[in-house]
Amino acid sequence: MAYPDNLLSDGELVVVHKHPHWKTLVVPVIAFLVVVAAGLYLAGLVSDTSWHSVAWIGLGAVGGLLVVWLTLVPLVRWRTTHFVVTTQRVMYREGVLSRSGIDIPMSRINSVRFQHGLVDRVFGCGTLVIESASDEPIEFDDIPHVEQVHSLLYREVNDNPDDDFHPRSGWEPHQA
């Protein structure tokens, strides 16, 4: 799914659009399986009692709340978190009911680096660290294919034709 064009400036194009890596959904999926298994086990325990229908309603309500809190909320949070690199800036947006975000213009980026440990390397993700001109380094965790994103972002920052010296005959800068 492309990032909404109405949020971009004129002439701005999306280069990369990523959600956090799917590994962030492993714990919510495990929580879902545990809640369902525990609910089925407890429903089986109370099935021989005279008040089993009331117990099943209570178990269903508690199980439903746990599934929403432990599985659905993280899934929606994952889906509404965006890491976007455009031709003019890096954007990060997150949140469901209240949104927050940060934009870093390409011209303000001083350096880009990445880091990933063994588990991140196995899953193919990592942390992207962007140092801008005036702020502390900003870390973006669980970026899928972090090495490729790092390389692409580095090229976007450093391949600005207005900043490059293109020697021609007589060593004059290239005129656009």
Side-chain angles (χ1 to χ4, degrees):
M1 178 176 102
Y3 197 74
D5 289 336
N6 62 344
L7 299 177
L8 302 176
S9 302
D10 292 337
E12 186 175 19
L13 300 172
V14 173
V15 179
V16 173
H17 176 210
K18 303 267 185 192
H19 294 285
H21 194 270
W22 60 264
K23 79 172 189 168
T24 60
L25 298 175
V26 170
V27 171
V29 167
I30 290 171
F32 174 77
L33 295 173
V34 167
V35 167
V36 169
L40 290 174
Y41 175 75
L42 292 173
L45 284 179
V46 299
S47 65
D48 293 336
T49 64
S50 62
W51 45 273
H52 66 276
S53 58
V54 174
W56 287 347
I57 292 171
L59 286 172
V62 170
L65 288 173
L66 287 174
V67 165
V68 167
W69 180 45
L70 298 175
T71 303
L72 226 53
V73 169
L75 177 66
V76 171
R77 187 177 301 126
W78 172 83
R79 187 72 180 122
T80 59
T81 300
H82 302 272
F83 177 80
V84 181
V85 177
T86 71
T87 53
Q88 297 177 6
R89 59 188 163 156
V90 175
M91 298 185 292
Y92 186 78
R93 303 284 187 271
E94 65 182 341
V96 180
L97 299 176
S98 66
R99 304 267 301 153
S100 64
I102 186 169
D103 291 4
I104 306 170
M106 289 292 183
S107 61
R108 306 264 306 173
I109 295 176
N110 287 341
S111 68
V112 181
R113 63 185 169 93
F114 71 91
Q115 55 195 31
H116 52 171
L118 180 61
V119 173
D120 286 341
R121 290 185 72 183
V122 168
F123 283 115
C125 64
T127 300
L128 189 69
V129 181
I130 298 176
E131 294 181 26
S132 64
S134 63
D135 297 326
E136 292 293 319
I138 301 170
E139 294 186 3
F140 301 99
D141 295 324
D142 296 323
I143 302 295
H145 309 291
V146 70
E147 290 185 54
Q148 287 89 356
V149 173
H150 168 264
S151 296
L152 190 133
L153 185 56
Y154 182 80
R155 282 192 305 262
E156 285 293 321
V157 168
N158 291 312
D159 284 350
N160 185 350
D162 296 334
D163 294 340
D164 290 344
F165 177 74
H166 299 283
R168 291 185 172 190
S169 61
W171 293 92
E172 295 177 15
H174 173 68
Q175 301 296 320

